[in-house]
Every structure is written in C-alpha cells, then in structure tokens.
Amino acid sequence: MSAATSKGKVRAGDAPLVKWTLIIVALAFMLVALVLPLASVFVEAFAKGWQVYLASIRDPDALSAIRLTLLASGIALTMNLLFGLAAAWAISRFSFRGKNLLISLIDLPLAVSPVVAGLIFVLLFGLHGWFGPWLDDHSVRILFAVPGIVLATIFVTFPFVARELIPFMQAQGTEEEEAALVLGASPWRMFFSITLPNIRWSLLYGVILCSARAMGEFGAVSVVSGHIRGETNTLPLHVEILYNEYNFAAAFAVASLLSLVAVVTLAVKKIIEDKTGIRGEKA
Amino acid sequence: MSIEVRNITKRFGAFTAVDDVSLQVGGGELLALLGPSGSGKTTLLRMIAGLEFPDSGSILLNQEDATKHDAARRRVGFVFQHYALFRHMTIFENVAFGLRVRPRNLRLSKNDIRDKVMQLLALVQLEKHEKHFPNQLSGGQRQRIALARALAVEPTLLLLDEPFGALDAKVRKELRRWLRRLHDEIHIASVFVTHDQEEALEVADRVAVMNQGKLEQIGTPQEVYDNPANAFVYNFLGNVNLFHGRVDRGRVRISTMDSESQEASPALDRSTLGYARPYEINISRESGGAATVHARLVHIYGVGPKVKLELQDIETEAMIEAEIERTQFVELELKQGDEVYVSPSNLRRFVEDYSI
C-alpha cells in the first residue's frame, strides 16, 4: 500500500474518465491491429467454400510445403533443444572465460534482421561465397536446397530455448542436483530424475516459442530457398507465391494453417504460464 | 567411521577459501565448524563430501584416501542449508531416492525400500507426511526430511551445512537439541557448519573455529571458550570489551589500570589490548585503587534476569559493556548518568594482537 492510496487520495491515473479512455483505446487498437486481421484470414480462406479450401491445402505443392516446414522446424527444434540445454547448463553451472560473450551472442539472431541472416548463408555457401566453390566441387547443395532452409531456420530460432532456460536454471541453483549426486546417483540419473523434471515447463515454453517461430519464418528462409515449387517452398513462402498469383482463396487457406499454429501456440503458452507462474508471480 | 583432513587448500581464482587446514573427526563424534561467513567452513565441508575438490592436501574417510573419489562414491550423508529436497517428488520418494539409485545388485526389494523409508520417517516423526510434497511442509519439517533422506543410504559420515540457518529462533533451538539426541542414538561421525557460536558450543562435542580459510583452534566447547587460542577466537565466541593500553618494562598499563606483566621478555614501550567479557566487569561506587576505570553509565537495558549496562570511560571515551545480576543492580541504585568505577575481574591479553 502506498501512502497515497492509504490516505484515500485519488492518483491522477485513477480518475474514471482516464481509466476508461485508456482501456477503450487499448482494446480498440488491439481489435483493429490484431483481431480483425486474424479473423479476416479465416473469412477469406473460406470465402469460396469448403471445397476450395480443402483443394488448396491438398494441392501437391501445398503438401510439399507443409512437409518441408515440418521437417525444417523439426530439425531446428531438435538442434536448438540440444544447444539450449548445453548452453544453459554451461552458463548456469560453470564459470568460464567468454561466458558473458556467449550470453550476448545467443541474442544475436534476435537483433539481426532475418534477411541479413539469410544473406549470411548466401555469403558462406553461395557460388561466389567462402565455401561455395568447394561445396560445388563436391556436389553438395546447401543454398536453394533443404539444408540451407534448415540452417536458416536454426539460425533465427537459435535463442528461444536457451533464453528460457538460462535465467530459470540460474535461479534454481544446483543444490538439488548435488543432493542427488551425494545420494549416489550417476550424472545421467541426476539429469533425468532431477534436472529435467525441474526444468520441464521452462523447456516446453522455449520449445513452443521456438517451433512457432520456426514454422513462421519468412525472411531468412526466403533468401536461401530459391522458391522452387514443390521442392524448396515452406508454408510462408508458398503463401506469398499464391498471393502474388492473385490466388487469394488458396493463399488465405494456407495462411489459415499458419494462423492456427499461432493460436494453438498462444493457448499452450497461456496454459503453461498459468500452471507454472513463468512470467508471473512465482507460485 | 572417521574423517581425516590433511593440509587441505582450496583456491577460487585469487581467493584462498581454505588455507592448509588439517583436522580429524573420530567415530561417533559431533564436530562443529564455526566461523564467520567467508571463513571457508562450508567449502571445507563440501570438500569432505566430494562436491568440491581441494587444490592440495588429502582427505581420508575411514582411513581410506578419498581425495579423488566423487561424491557418489564417498557414501556420506549431506544435509543442505536450504534442504534441497526434490520439489517434484513426494516426501516418500525423496527419502527413497538414495535407495532407488543404487546399482541393481545392491538395491533393496520394493517392500524393503518401503519399510526402510517408513522407519526413517518414523525416526524424524513425519510418517504422516509421506504423500505430501516438500512445499507443503514447514522449514523445520523439511530439514528433518532432508536428514532422513541423508540417513537412508546408511552413510558412515554425516555432514550438515548450516542445518538450522534458515529456521526461526525457536524452531532452531528445538531442532538442534533434537539433532544432538538423534546423534547420540545413531552415533556416526558428524560435522556441521554454523556461524552461531551458541549453537556450536551447545550441540558439538568439539568445535573447530575457522577464520579467513585457516583453522584457528579446535577443542571441546569448554576448552575453546575458557582458553581461546587467540583474540579472534575469544572475540568470536562472545561479546567482548576492549581495553587499549601499553606494555613497558614489565608493567602493563591498560586504560588507567596498572599491573605486572606476565610476559617473559620485558618488552619496551608498545601498545597492547586487554579483553574482558561483559559479565567479567565489576562495578562499584568507590574507586578501588589503580586497577579501576572511571566511567559514566550511559544506558541501562533492564529486561531479563541480568541487567546490561553501557558505560563510557571518562578518560578515553571508549565504550564498555557490562552485565550484572539484578540484585546487584538494585543494591548499587544505579541510574543513567551516574559516575562509577569499573574493573575487569579477568583481563585477558593475547601476545599476537589483531585488530577488530
């Protein structure tokens, strides 16, 4: 209780007029900027009926895009899960040279525009890039092929798992793990019986954010993909192509899939937050 | 059933946490590692447990060199300051953990584990809580579960890191007496870390006093209290009054008190310090000759059976704390602002002075 409220004085922000004005402005803005666009995606998707919607999704190119998106985000997720765990473990458990540098570098992909991220890979693996000629000699294709898309996806989703785990594991400390070791547990047993159960919600939270971003990534993937239909098109790229061809119904149908992923992600995220108090007061 | 630490040194970067410490703990003995924070006592305990490894020196557990053994191999029971209970497991599973992680050929049967856990829960008087989770228990209960969990693996040594540090004063007192009784029952070599001198002196068989990574003194509570090895130990074990003075050609002059020096070498003029506990301060209305200090009574703390007095040396303006019986306080009819004469009944001097 602050002194002001306990004395019964009304603070400037508490006046009903100010309060309701702010609430209405915020809600109206959200309606126009977020809810309407999301709703319009679904309205447009079904504008020409169920038949067209289903046909657009069952189209071989669309199915191929779905497969590629799932593959790329699956691989990216696995890699980032392993990296995130390793990095969080190293940062929260050990002190070593370059630790602060590592913590800052983890955030790099968030700071860099995805297009730049894509260009980095062109610079590295393109025909005129650093490793391009060598890769070409050995007929390894990275750019304009699946490996490039996977790499770009890994790059942009790099921070998500690690960033969730690091503060959580730092706050949690190592006492429980040490207790397990003293009681005779092997390091593996300790990890699976103590560490993993303790970080599971945090980990899942990171995984959800990571997979949502991986599936929706456009910029970086667009640069390295080459837009080959049925081969190197992910869902977001497929949406763009359909849209550019004025095939609006199909574009929105495919876009509705991505929107659905977003809505499900938000729901799961909310459930985890309620369950564990991540981002809120600790339960 | 013994611990022997030989010349252990541990550094963290430029900081020396434990500096060439050697000590022994016999079977069935309860040793307190006492010291201020940063004195290295917890680091020493963690090295005995195998949670840290010394830079030099060796650790023998039951006469066997265990310096390089990892924690799992040492078979010690360790109780953490903040309990470190497994928060996602029930109380039963917490206590059973050490039994469940044993290699298959050494593992007890399911029923035997159940019996053993229930037996331990009975020992710490928490059988009813087997299905609860740690966050449903009070601090004192959690610490008892942590102890039961440590005892489940039948350790030959028990190590406790500030076991009562996070508890409130009343629970702390109850629990440390309970620990003493429990230790007398199970009788295994135990070491506990504390910064609370009262706790160390009350519970332990022997007390090891540490300061800045070094072992200052080790002995029974009586020994360290009555014959402190140096000014640090004396100062750490209770409240003290400090008297500045000088030694000169066989005479000691502290404050306005004058006495013979017991030192062998008749040192030439140099400064010295005398120490006396508050209850070793005598107060009288009349001057008693050379060995008294003229002081003014600044403050009276009158709650309880003893009366605490805050006095100020009129000559040097140094503060003196005294503790006298209530009857004497009434007899002297003391009031704030009174001028009295103070003399320590037992003034200690340490040859190796250190500054407070």
Side-chain angles (χ1 to χ4, degrees), chain A residues 17-85:
Chain A
L17 182 70
V18 177
K19 177 176 151 193
W20 287 108
T21 311
L22 287 176
I23 291 175
I24 289 166
V25 166
L27 285 181
F29 188 79
M30 235 168 65
L31 192 72
V32 173
L34 298 174
V35 181
L36 276 182
L38 188 65
S40 76
V41 169
F42 289 95
V43 171
E44 283 293 325
F46 291 105
K48 293 189 178 165
W50 270 104
Q51 299 301 322
V52 177
Y53 182 84
L54 284 178
S56 316
I57 289 171
R58 284 205 191 120
D59 176 75
D61 286 350
L63 287 178
S64 149
I66 292 173
R67 269 197 300 275
L68 182 59
T69 298
L70 289 178
L71 177 75
S73 38
I75 295 175
L77 193 61
T78 315
M79 300 300 289
N80 286 332
L81 198 63
L82 292 176
F83 163 77
L85 269 172

Side-chain angles (χ1 to χ4, degrees), chain B residues 96 128 206 301 313:
Chain B
K128 285 187 207 122
R206 281 196 305 154
Y301 302 90
D313 187 331

Side-chain angles (χ1 to χ4, degrees), chain A residues 8 15 33 51 63-64 68 79 92 101 129 144 194 229-230 233 259:
Chain A
Q51 299 301 322
L63 287 178
S64 149
L68 182 59
M79 300 300 289
S92 63
L101 188 70
F144 312 130
I194 308 300
R229 275 194 173 210
N233 262 349
S259 308

Side-chain angles (χ1 to χ4, degrees), chain A residues 219-232:
Chain A
V221 170
S222 171
V223 176
V224 297
S225 137
H227 305 272
I228 307 166
R229 275 194 173 210
E231 275 185 46
T232 63

Side-chain angles (χ1 to χ4, degrees), chain A residues 207-271:
Chain A
V207 161
I208 283 165
L209 292 181
C210 182
S211 51
R213 179 69 203 269
M215 287 192 214
E217 176 52 28
F218 179 83
V221 170
S222 171
V223 176
V224 297
S225 137
H227 305 272
I228 307 166
R229 275 194 173 210
E231 275 185 46
T232 63
N233 262 349
T234 61
L235 273 180
L237 299 184
H238 190 62
V239 173
E240 194 210 15
I241 288 184
L242 291 172
Y243 186 82
N244 286 344
E245 289 170 349
Y246 305 103
N247 195 349
F248 296 133
F252 280 107
V254 176
S256 74
L257 288 181
L258 284 169
S259 308
L260 210 60
V261 169
V263 172
V264 170
T265 304
L266 275 182
V268 178
K269 185 169 154 273
K270 178 76 183 132
I271 291 169

